[in-house]
């Protein structure tokens, strides 16, 4: 993709990356999955800097890496868009809003903790966050279903059942899926090499 055609100079592209991550992080509540959804809408659907498969892979990497999903996703998106400087810019845009908000809340914690209206506001935000997370589940799950691969669909269902029904820790589910993916890639590679 021609960056000059899209935003002129590299500096303008970095500025757009910073403002986009700053905006997403400032007005998104509910954690990393919600931010990843908005990153997808911004960088895949609107700006076309990343394609859908790359974003799906980045989401899987961000979730399976240690640390906050939002920061991990910002690292990957920034690196993909503008390399090391893009990564730094995206991470700064992502961490500034929560740092400022949490600093303000920590100063006025007692007032926030006992305020009935703040408690109601947070309850309402929880419902909104649940809706956005459901949107992510349907979006990513729909992409898996579109592959029409029984292996991927079975893996998705097995991961859901393991976590929801049998209360298997999500880290174990992710590691098991990663091992399965590596084994599947090796089998496909051997089949390709045998031809």
């Amino acid at each position: 993709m021609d960056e000059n055609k899209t935003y002129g100079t590299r500096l303008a592209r970095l500025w757009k990356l910073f403002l986009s991550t700053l905006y997403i992080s400032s007005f998104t509540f509910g954690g990393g999955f919600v931010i990843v959804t908005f990153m997808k809408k911004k960088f895949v659907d609107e700006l076309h800097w990343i394609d859908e498969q790359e974003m799906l892979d980045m989401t899987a990497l961000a979730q399976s890496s240690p640390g906050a999903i939002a920061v991990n996703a910002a690292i990957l998106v920034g690196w993909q868009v503008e390399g090391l400087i893009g990564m730094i810019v995206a991470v700064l845009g992502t961490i500034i809003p929560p740092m400022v908000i949490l600093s303000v809340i920590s100063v006025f914690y007692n007032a926030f903790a006992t305020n009935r209206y703040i408690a109601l506001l947070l309850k309402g935000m929880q419902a909104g966050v649940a809706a956005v997370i459901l949107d992510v589940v349907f979006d990513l799950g729909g992409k898996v279903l579109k592959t029409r691969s029984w292996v991927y669909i079975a893996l998705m269902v097995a991961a859901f059942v393991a976590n929801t029904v049998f209360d298997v820790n999500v880290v174990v589910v992710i590691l098991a899926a990663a091992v399965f993916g590596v084994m599947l890639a090796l089998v496909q590679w051997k089949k390709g090499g045998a031809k």
Side-chain angles (χ1 to χ4, degrees):
M1 171 172 332
D2 183 9
E3 68 184 52
N4 292 327
K5 182 179 176 186
T6 309
Y7 282 103
T9 66
R10 184 171 190 213
L11 184 60
R13 192 171 163 106
L14 287 167
W15 182 243
K16 180 70 175 175
L17 177 65
F18 175 76
L19 290 179
S20 297
T21 54
L22 185 75
Y23 176 81
I24 291 168
S25 185
S26 296
F27 297 104
T28 306
F29 296 89
F33 289 114
V34 179
I35 287 179
V36 167
T37 303
F38 286 107
M39 283 183 169
K40 184 239 179 223
K41 287 180 180 170
K42 185 68 171 180
F43 299 115
V44 175
D45 300 337
E46 185 182 323
L47 297 174
H48 307 289
W49 287 353
I50 300 170
D51 66 39
E52 286 198 32
Q53 185 58 48
E54 286 175 322
M55 193 67 208
L56 191 60
D57 293 343
M58 288 179 192
T59 302
L61 284 170
Q63 181 183 5
S64 58
S65 300
I69 294 173
V71 175
N72 293 344
I75 288 169
L76 295 168
V77 167
W79 182 267
Q80 185 67 20
V81 171
E82 279 295 335
L84 179 63
I85 295 173
M87 178 183 72
I88 293 167
V89 164
V91 168
L92 284 174
T94 302
I95 65 171
I96 288 173
M99 287 177 58
V100 170
I101 291 168
L102 289 174
S103 297
V104 170
I105 288 174
S106 68
V107 171
F108 300 105
Y109 177 74
N110 287 335
F112 279 114
T114 57
N115 189 311
R116 190 174 80 113
Y117 297 107
I118 297 291
L120 290 172
L121 175 73
L122 292 174
K123 287 285 185 193
M125 288 169 61
Q126 286 176 356
V129 166
V132 172
I133 290 175
L134 270 176
D135 179 51
V136 173
V137 168
F138 286 125
D139 189 37
L140 296 178
K143 286 178 181 43
V144 172
L145 293 175
K146 284 180 185 176
T147 66
R148 297 184 188 265
S149 167
W150 67 270
V151 175
Y152 295 141
I153 294 170
L155 182 62
M156 179 177 69
V157 170
F160 177 78
V161 169
N163 184 255
T164 306
V165 176
F166 298 109
D167 202 28
V168 176
N169 190 309
V170 72
V171 173
V172 174
V173 172
I174 290 169
L175 290 175
V179 168
F180 180 82
V182 168
M183 290 173 33
L184 184 63
L186 288 173
V187 168
Q188 289 174 344
W189 178 70
K190 283 189 177 185
K191 280 185 181 179
K195 291 182 179 178

